Amino acid sequence: MSNRILLVEDDLALGQQVVDTLSQAGFDPHWVQDGDAARGLNPDDYRVIVLDLMLPGTYGMDLLKRYRTKSEVPVLILSARDDTADKIRGLKLGADDYVTKPFFPEELVARIQACVRRPNLVGTKRIVVGAIQIDLERREVTTSDGTLSLTPVEFEILALLARRKGSAVTRDALVDAALDTAHDRSRRTLDVHISRLRGKLRSDAAQLETVWGIGYRLSEGS
Amino acid sequence: MSNRILLVEDDLALGQQVVDTLSQAGFDPHWVQDGDAARGLNPDDYRVIVLDLMLPGTYGMDLLKRYRTKSEVPVLILSARDDTADKIRGLKLGADDYVTKPFFPEELVARIQACVRRPNLVGTKRIVVGAIQIDLERREVTTSDGTLSLTPVEFEILALLARRKGSAVTRDALVDAALDTAHDRSRRTLDVHISRLRGKLRSDAAQLETVWGIGYRLSEGS
DNA sequence: TCCCGGCGTTAAGACTCGCGTAAGGTTCGA
DNA sequence: TCGAACCTTACGCGAGTCTTAACGCCGGGA
């Protein structure tokens, strides 16, 4: 795997500085200035993501949430304000580290290396939950009834449930991950997709449990 | 594996504060005041190690190096000085994070959780009280009778009691945590939920004791 | 350009399930 | 023994969920 790092930073001077430092440290930085541009990128293409919280366009927190639901990639937050509440919120959302400006580029590099070094056990692009096998790269799902074809939304829902396999996943998280943003969470759209998903899962549908008042959970059958 | 955390900290006030916060967050802190005492411990017995760099006896950096050569356990550094050179040195030596005093306990907890989250997404955030095991992520409870499904309110009640395991919890606190606010505390709603909870706990119901005039307590059975 | 199939969304009715309340019984402490 | 605090059961309402059906958008193909 490459040493590619995604840097989301709108400050031109700072961004250039970080890019230079990362390059010298042997990384392959990929710099995006705009939050909306970062939305479309696939987090799994990168080793680490360095994210500035104060962005024009999409807010940094939204990006973080988005990345977290989609992938396991370590995310390191960069922020102007040394605000503890913000810090805690970021870390709770799944960020792996938090650096406040101003910082020395060397510190950032050291922290990135600390992220990378961590045992990344979940490198596989294939998740197995009971009788359900999900190939994230081929976007293919196999059950005990054979291979089945899912729509994009259905696949995203199942993929997120599989990544968090065994644990209950909030309705909100599922909506964030699978449906276009700016959705009215009160609508019953998600239910419909879940319903169709269950229909396709057929004999393995029992693995997709509903957690009342919370959301859903994908459990191993046995 | 348990949620045991090793805290190496010589400052008595700060140490106690951290221990309290960690306990409330569902961890099982193990506090050592002396660096030399920490030398002999096996790092693999702990989920995370929180290490103060300014210690009497063995220097913190030495301990860090020692742990790193022995084990893969995440180490989180605590330091009085906000010295970048020190920070970089620590992170290069393999520390997973670096927090400078003064800090808010909540921040430390959030950072610890960020460390813990990585290796295995399943099985973390788990509280064991006697025969009752509570998986906060899966929202699942296992007793000696097997897995049982709780309603949201019942789960919140049990979770709060488990977090404060062994100590009495006020009725008000339980109502705040589990029930919709703006409720009439004088009513017998909480009793009903407790009753239902006991019914589901079956043979382990004895662990959920009534503290007369105060509230309830979840105790280890044996 | 028009048609058609796939897909996401909305709407609506039926249904399940959790929650709060009431009411009567029981236990505890003084 | 008395009263307050607590336990338990039963029941109805309403929130949350499931399912079916239909609408609208967008793409490819004729």
Side-chain angles (χ1 to χ4, degrees):
Chain A
M1 200 218 207
S2 68
N3 270 335
R4 202 183 306 169
I5 291 183
L6 177 60
L7 170 65
V8 188
E9 169 63 68
D10 60 310
D11 184 312
L12 293 182
L14 182 61
Q16 191 57 53
Q17 188 190 6
V18 172
V19 165
D20 290 345
T21 318
L22 288 178
S23 299
Q24 283 179 23
F27 290 108
D28 174 20
H30 188 182
W31 181 15
V32 179
Q33 277 97 343
D34 186 55
D36 290 320
R39 272 184 96 79
L41 298 175
N42 179 11
D44 279 324
D45 289 343
Y46 302 91
R47 188 121 194 195
V48 179
I49 295 177
V50 181
L51 178 63
D52 189 338
L53 269 192
M54 315 298 267
L55 285 170
T58 312
Y59 288 112
M61 282 287 182
D62 288 339
L63 269 179
L64 171 57
K65 229 195 291 185
R66 194 177 182 77
Y67 288 150
R68 256 294 151 276
T69 52
K70 285 204 158 187
S71 153
E72 302 285 346
V73 172
V75 175
L76 197 149
I77 288 181
L78 222 56
S79 172
R81 41 177 173 175
D82 193 353
D83 181 354
T84 307
D86 238 40
K87 221 181 263 190
I88 293 172
R89 206 148 57 90
L91 292 170
K92 276 216 174 124
L93 268 176
D96 290 80
D97 207 341
Y98 199 108
V99 179
T100 53
K101 307 181 204 170
F103 56 88
F104 291 93
E106 293 81 14
E107 183 188 348
L108 182 62
V109 170
R111 283 186 181 269
I112 287 177
Q113 282 168 340
C115 277
V116 169
R117 182 157 9 90
R118 270 177 248 208
N120 201 351
L121 303 171
V122 258
T124 24
K125 305 271 181 170
R126 193 187 181 83
I127 311 177
V128 180
V129 186
I132 303 171
Q133 298 178 29
I134 299 162
D135 192 321
L136 293 176
E137 275 192 349
R138 307 183 59 175
R139 296 202 133 238
E140 214 175 62
V141 176
T142 313
T143 71
S144 48
D145 298 316
T147 303
L148 43 87
S149 71
L150 300 182
T151 73
V153 171
E154 287 161 5
F155 186 86
E156 288 304 327
I157 291 176
L158 190 61
L160 177 54
L161 285 168
R163 256 182 235 120
R164 304 246 205 291
K165 72 171 167 182
S167 32
V169 183
T170 314
R171 292 178 70 91
D172 272 6
L174 288 166
V175 171
D176 275 342
L179 308 180
D180 278 341
T181 51
H183 253 277
D184 192 348
R185 272 94 158 81
S186 68
R187 308 227 176 249
R188 309 251 51 85
T189 305
L190 180 61
D191 307 39
V192 179
H193 289 296
I194 291 283
S195 175
R196 292 211 258 252
L197 204 43
R198 281 181 171 139
K200 290 183 179 178
L201 289 176
R202 298 171 61 88
S203 50
D204 301 318
Q207 285 187 46
L208 177 40
E209 310 165 9
T210 118
V211 184
W212 237 84
I214 304 294
Y216 300 89
R217 163 174 49 211
L218 193 66
S219 68
E220 322 252 356
S222 59
Chain B
M1 197 220 213
S2 67
N3 270 334
R4 201 181 308 167
I5 290 183
L6 176 60
L7 170 65
V8 188
E9 169 63 66
D10 60 310
D11 183 315
L12 292 182
L14 181 61
Q16 190 56 54
Q17 190 189 7
V18 171
V19 164
D20 290 346
T21 316
L22 288 178
S23 300
Q24 283 182 20
F27 291 107
D28 175 20
H30 188 181
W31 181 16
V32 179
Q33 278 98 341
D34 186 56
D36 290 320
R39 272 182 94 82
L41 298 174
N42 179 12
D44 278 324
D45 288 345
Y46 302 91
R47 192 114 194 195
V48 178
I49 296 176
V50 181
L51 179 62
D52 190 338
L53 271 191
M54 315 298 267
L55 285 170
T58 312
Y59 286 112
M61 282 288 183
D62 289 339
L63 268 179
L64 171 56
K65 235 192 287 185
R66 191 181 183 77
Y67 288 151
R68 258 292 152 273
T69 53
K70 282 198 159 191
S71 151
E72 297 285 342
V73 172
V75 175
L76 199 149
I77 288 181
L78 223 56
S79 172
R81 43 177 173 174
D82 193 355
D83 180 354
T84 308
D86 236 37
K87 220 182 264 191
I88 294 174
R89 205 148 58 90
L91 291 170
K92 278 217 172 123
L93 266 176
D96 290 81
D97 208 340
Y98 198 106
V99 179
T100 52
K101 309 181 202 170
F103 56 88
F104 290 92
E106 292 84 12
E107 183 188 347
L108 182 61
V109 169
R111 285 188 180 268
I112 287 176
Q113 282 169 339
C115 279
V116 168
R117 186 174 30 239
R118 180 133 312 275
N120 51 342
L121 293 167
V122 211
T124 59
K125 295 180 187 167
R126 200 187 173 95
I127 310 178
V128 180
V129 187
I132 304 172
Q133 298 177 29
I134 300 162
D135 193 320
L136 295 176
E137 235 176 71
R138 307 183 59 166
R139 294 201 135 243
E140 216 175 61
V141 175
T142 312
T143 71
S144 48
D145 298 315
T147 302
L148 44 89
S149 74
L150 300 182
T151 72
V153 172
E154 288 160 4
F155 186 88
E156 288 305 326
I157 291 176
L158 190 61
L160 178 54
L161 286 169
R163 271 193 283 270
R164 306 247 203 289
K165 69 173 167 182
S167 47
V169 183
T170 314
R171 293 178 68 92
D172 269 4
L174 289 166
V175 170
D176 278 340
L179 273 38
D180 278 342
T181 48
H183 256 276
D184 193 348
R185 277 104 170 22
S186 67
R187 308 223 176 247
R188 312 249 47 87
T189 305
L190 180 61
D191 306 38
V192 177
H193 286 294
I194 291 283
S195 173
R196 293 205 259 248
L197 204 43
R198 283 180 171 140
K200 290 183 179 179
L201 289 176
R202 299 171 61 89
S203 50
D204 300 318
Q207 286 187 46
L208 177 38
E209 309 165 7
T210 303
V211 184
W212 234 81
I214 304 294
Y216 301 89
R217 164 177 50 213
L218 194 65
S219 68
E220 323 250 356
S222 55

